[in-house]
Amino acid sequence: MKHHDVAIVGGGCVGLSVAKHLAERTDLDTAVIEKEHHLAAHQSGRNSGVLHPGFNYPPESKKARFATEGTRRMKEYCDDHDVPCEELGVVVVAKTDREEAHLETLAEQAEANGVEYELLHSQEAIREHEPHAEGQAALYAPEAASVDSQQYVYALAREIQNAGVSLYTGYAVEEIDHTASGYRLSTSNGDFAASYLVNAAGLHADTLAHQLGVGEQYQVVPFRGEYYEVRPERAHLCETMIYPTPDPELPFLGVHYTRRTDGKVIVGPNAVLAFGREAYDNTDLDPSDLAETLTYEGFRKLLASKTMLSVAWSELNKSYRKAKFTEASQRLVPEIEAEDLQQSYAGIRAQLVSDDGELVKDPLFVERENAVHILNAVSPGLTSSLPFGDHIAETLAAKV
Ligand SMILES: Cc1cc2nc3c(=O)[nH]c(=O)nc-3n(C[C@H](O)[C@H](O)[C@H](O)COP(=O)(O)OP(=O)(O)OC[C@H]3O[C@@H](n4cnc5c(N)ncnc54)[C@H](O)[C@@H]3O)c2cc1C
């Protein structure tokens, strides 16, 4: 049995950030326990890699605070640790009067959150930033950046190991029990004892929390997001990042264009129910995960809403019919053609849903006497990872 003061389950950007800040704040003997042999195998390495500087989130919300501060801190971190990061800026395009009106809300939020922005009121003004994008108005936010999220995760891992944190990869935590002195974690590679626990298990955080009777009113519903890559000869169609105006009712930002730090332009993601927490291909199916989702009353209530049902249908179409995905892409860049889009990777979001059928939109963690369970490290969780991990480390350190 291995003994540590703190066991952090999950070596994604959030778990590693908690470890980094615990090492900076305390002398605790900390271990990160990660089930995969390679890091960044799930959300932290399968995303758009965009630093969102806080204009999408209401002032005073945790999301706004963490995203705005996270964007600034992450740029410094990438600079200091040689992680590719480019401040390209983003153009959020409105195609209808309703969307244009919502841009005003985004502008107000940007103002209140201290985020730089400019409202563009014509097609000509949009084209000065993105010559191939089409819309009647847009919000331009120059601080948005593109980052290599996998290299960021590995930089965090190197840093925490240099700071004395033990990183165990290839150890899947199967069961967690309370003991007189803290917790016993049974893994695929032997047992651990720890006085303090941080559950940062992403797509599986709810399952582990439920074992300890925590967060039973919530369940993770996995939503797959698929990406296409624009073939290199047509990558000039997006110079920076082009987003649609988000629907405030939905937690996902919609199919968008991102120029990655390696120069590739990716389009996506859609948001379709995944038939398993790690079912990355649209033919993958994990029967027990799927049954868990379909029998969850929160999921059934969620689907009972007409809006969600119609969104689910349209997203499903984008997943199984490339023509529909192309249509969504053409809404922002009309010149893009189906043959310009080559199927690329997919990511799965751990979307927390409550028993009453609500999508939990804000970051959520639950404290216990000697534990913190991170149940919803929701997007923009990559952007927010430094201040969010710092906040969790501070919360845990106060318990010691
Ligand atoms: C498609 C997509 C696009 C996104 N785009 C953006 C974006 O552009 N910008 C942004 O800011 N955010 C984005 N996000 C959100 C962001 O990626 C996540 O919020 C963030 O990565 C969450 O990090 P995490 O560490 O909580 O989760 P993860 O990266 O999933 O890490 C959890 C880790 O726990 C491990 N684990 C799970 N169970 C166990 C167990 N039982 N034992 C041991 N280890 C375990 C997993 O293997 C995993 O490595 C996106 C997410 C997705 C899916």
Side-chain angles (χ1 to χ4, degrees):
M1 170 114 72
K2 296 181 171 66
H3 291 259
H4 292 278
D5 295 330
V6 184
I8 299 175
V9 185
C13 62
V14 172
L16 294 172
S17 170
V18 176
K20 165 187 162 61
H21 293 100
L22 266 183
E24 285 170 6
R25 286 177 177 276
T26 70
D27 292 326
L28 291 166
D29 167 19
T30 300
V32 175
I33 307 171
E34 164 57 49
K35 75 181 169 74
E36 306 294 347
H37 289 279
H38 297 284
L39 298 174
H42 300 292
Q43 297 175 95
S44 302
R46 291 168 168 269
N47 50 55
S48 301
V50 175
L51 300 186
H52 294 284
F55 58 82
N56 274 326
Y57 318 113
E60 313 297 329
S61 66
K62 284 188 207 154
K63 261 193 179 179
R65 178 159 71 85
F66 289 140
T68 306
E69 188 185 331
T71 300
R72 182 179 49 75
R73 283 174 68 170
M74 187 104 156
K75 284 178 192 167
E76 281 168 17
Y77 188 87
C78 291
D79 214 27
D80 292 347
H81 294 82
D82 289 329
V83 176
C85 178
E86 281 181 52
E87 191 179 78
L88 297 172
V90 65
V91 179
V92 182
V93 173
K95 301 278 295 185
T96 61
D97 291 347
R98 187 164 169 260
E99 289 182 354
E100 187 169 353
H102 188 59
L103 287 185
E104 296 292 339
T105 309
L106 299 189
E108 282 162 23
Q109 291 177 170
E111 190 77 44
N113 295 334
V115 177
E116 276 181 56
Y117 72 96
E118 188 188 337
L119 280 172
L120 311 173
H121 294 289
S122 66
Q123 174 68 63
E124 293 66 43
I126 294 174
R127 295 235 153 143
E128 279 174 29
H129 293 278
E130 279 294 344
H132 302 277
E134 191 176 89
Q136 63 188 55
L139 178 133
Y140 170 62
E143 291 165 279
S146 181
V147 66
D148 186 323
S149 63
Q150 299 191 350
Q151 290 200 42
Y152 167 60
V153 168
Y154 274 93
L156 281 174
R158 278 192 298 277
E159 191 193 3
I160 61 158
Q161 284 175 293
N162 289 337
V165 173
S166 307
L167 174 58
Y168 297 92
T169 51
Y171 288 69
V173 174
E174 288 159 354
E175 212 174 300
I176 310 182
D177 295 300
H178 283 291
T179 61
S181 57
Y183 295 94
R184 181 191 180 100
L185 295 87
S186 310
T187 83
S188 52
N189 249 328
D191 290 356
F192 287 75
S195 311
Y196 300 93
L197 171 73
V198 177
N199 170 5
L203 285 151
H204 301 276
D206 61 331
T207 310
L208 295 181
H210 294 172
Q211 288 181 7
L212 296 165
V214 174
E216 287 174 309
Q217 68 278 40
Y218 300 107
Q219 189 171 303
V220 165
V221 173
F223 281 93
R224 191 177 57 249
E226 293 145 328
Y227 292 90
Y228 282 82
E229 182 188 330
V230 178
R231 64 187 168 95
E233 312 82 76
R234 301 278 282 167
H236 64 276
L237 293 178
C238 168
E239 294 183 356
T240 59
M241 294 187 278
I242 310 169
Y243 274 64
T245 303
D247 181 334
E249 295 308 312
L250 300 176
F252 311 132
L253 293 177
V255 167
H256 50 257
Y257 288 70
T258 306
R259 180 166 282 272
R260 294 177 6 154
T261 54
D262 59 8
K264 288 180 178 173
V265 171
I266 51 165
V267 193
N270 52 3
V272 66
L273 177 71
F275 299 151
R277 291 174 191 237
E278 298 179 12
Y280 288 106
D281 199 277
N282 66 8
T283 53
D284 288 349
L285 190 150
D286 179 322
S288 85
D289 278 2
L290 184 60
E292 200 182 10
T293 300
L294 296 181
T295 56
Y296 177 47
E297 62 167 316
F299 178 70
R300 291 209 303 263
K301 285 184 186 159
L302 179 70
L303 271 198
S305 123
K306 263 195 190 151
T307 319
M308 284 315 292
L309 207 58
S310 104
V311 169
W313 178 245
S314 129
E315 294 295 313
L316 205 64
N317 262 309
K318 276 184 226 149
S319 175
Y320 290 92
R321 295 171 61 197
K322 188 177 175 187
K324 288 287 172 197
F325 193 100
T326 308
E327 261 175 39
S329 315
Q330 285 171 335
R331 202 171 172 263
L332 299 176
V333 178
E335 285 169 67
I336 202 90
E337 302 287 351
E339 56 270 24
D340 296 331
L341 299 172
Q342 302 165 333
Q343 193 146 19
S344 187
Y345 62 98
I348 298 185
R349 305 169 181 89
Q351 175 60 53
L352 202 67
V353 176
S354 66
D355 283 353
D356 50 14
E358 294 294 321
L359 296 166
V360 182
K361 292 183 189 155
D362 241 11
L364 179 77
F365 63 89
V366 175
E367 285 184 61
R368 286 293 177 264
E369 201 181 318
N370 46 7
V372 181
H373 295 267
I374 300 166
L375 296 181
N376 203 34
V378 66
S379 193
L382 173 70
T383 308
S384 310
S385 55
L386 290 173
F388 187 50
D390 200 355
H391 183 66
I392 301 291
E394 186 183 19
T395 307
L396 194 83
K399 298 178 184 298
V400 177

